[in-house]
Amino acid sequence: MSNELERWADNRHGLVPSKAERQHARAVANLVNETKFAGLKVDAEAALTGRIMERAVDLDNYRRQLANGDPILDAVLSRIEVGFVDKAQRVQRNFGSEFPS
């Protein structure tokens, strides 16, 4: 697939590129940069999601440890934990979004 894209991107016909060829080359370079940036944003969002999940597991284990089987304390700490999860979901949804929800 990349060979086909490279063939489409290569628009040279002579030694000295014409104005149209230079414009085409700039457009191709911009598209390549935008694609790389979009991929980087996807990787950043995946890393953020993974971090949120890791922290949620850590907090859940910590809540269980602190509650030590006490149902009342477990209920109180669960509400705090749910607050973290809600906040983390908002951060995740709004991360890099042009249209925050």
Side-chain angles (χ1 to χ4, degrees):
M1 176 99 171
S2 71
N3 288 340
E4 185 177 350
L5 292 175
E6 288 172 4
R7 193 168 16 96
W8 288 346
D10 187 10
N11 193 30
R12 290 175 283 156
H13 297 292
L15 207 47
V16 177
S18 68
K19 181 178 180 181
E21 290 171 335
R22 287 191 308 272
Q23 288 174 335
H24 177 77
R26 271 193 305 277
V28 168
N30 288 339
L31 180 60
V32 167
N33 288 335
E34 289 172 11
T35 303
K36 287 178 181 178
F37 188 64
L40 181 61
K41 288 193 318 188
V42 167
D43 291 345
E45 290 189 31
L48 176 63
T49 299
R51 182 65 177 154
I52 289 169
M53 291 189 300
E54 290 169 359
R55 293 304 293 147
V57 168
D58 292 344
L59 287 172
D60 192 57
N61 290 335
Y62 189 52
R63 174 190 52 80
R64 291 169 199 245
Q65 177 187 350
L66 288 176
N68 197 26
D70 181 337
I72 303 293
L73 185 54
D74 188 59
V76 170
L77 297 175
S78 290
R79 290 186 64 192
I80 296 168
E81 183 179 349
V82 167
F84 165 79
V85 171
D86 289 342
K87 172 74 178 211
Q89 285 179 321
R90 283 192 305 275
V91 168
Q92 181 191 25
R93 261 187 255 117
N94 294 329
F95 180 76
S97 174
E98 295 176 20
F99 305 103
S101 53

